[in-house]
Amino acid sequence: MADDLVNIEIDGVPVKARKGEMIIRAADASGIYVPRFCYHEKLSIAANCRMCLVEVEKAPKPLPACATPVTDGMKVSSGRLMRGSSITPSCACLA
């Protein structure tokens, strides 16, 4: 069981997640909200809307949280803090 868990960090918060679990599910389980439009746990992953883009340390560009599996040591920024993030809010209400 312990071999199935990896340690990641989301917005500076240490999180334990199941190996291969998608970032969006690990964030949800930790109480960290990542905005989404096309994602639902009972539907296949489309990753079309790009609303759930997150920054992952050492990744060249933002990645969709709904379609990116966690790996041990991964550092993720959801953009919810917005300071220094290349992810821009998708609506004026978040700006």
Side-chain angles (χ1 to χ4, degrees):
M1 177 76 178
D3 292 338
D4 293 338
L5 295 178
V6 294
N7 295 305
I8 66 170
E9 188 178 291
I10 303 175
D11 293 336
V13 177
V15 173
K16 286 194 181 290
R18 287 190 327 256
K19 191 183 298 183
E21 181 175 38
M22 297 303 146
I23 293 172
I24 201 165
R25 295 207 49 181
D28 284 349
S30 299
I32 300 169
Y33 181 71
V34 175
R36 77 275 322 260
F37 184 74
C38 68
Y39 173 80
H40 190 279
E41 63 185 32
K42 294 184 180 180
L43 298 175
S44 62
I45 297 172
N48 287 330
C49 74
R50 306 317 244 189
M51 192 171 190
C52 67
L53 289 178
V54 294
E55 291 179 335
V56 176
E57 187 177 78
K58 298 181 183 171
K61 60 185 179 180
L63 301 171
C66 67
T68 305
V70 299
T71 58
D72 196 40
M74 179 181 270
K75 291 187 179 185
V76 178
S77 175
S78 70
R80 69 184 174 114
L81 304 177
M82 294 296 166
R83 272 185 249 124
S85 175
S86 65
I87 301 173
T88 56
S90 58
C91 71
C93 62
L94 297 176

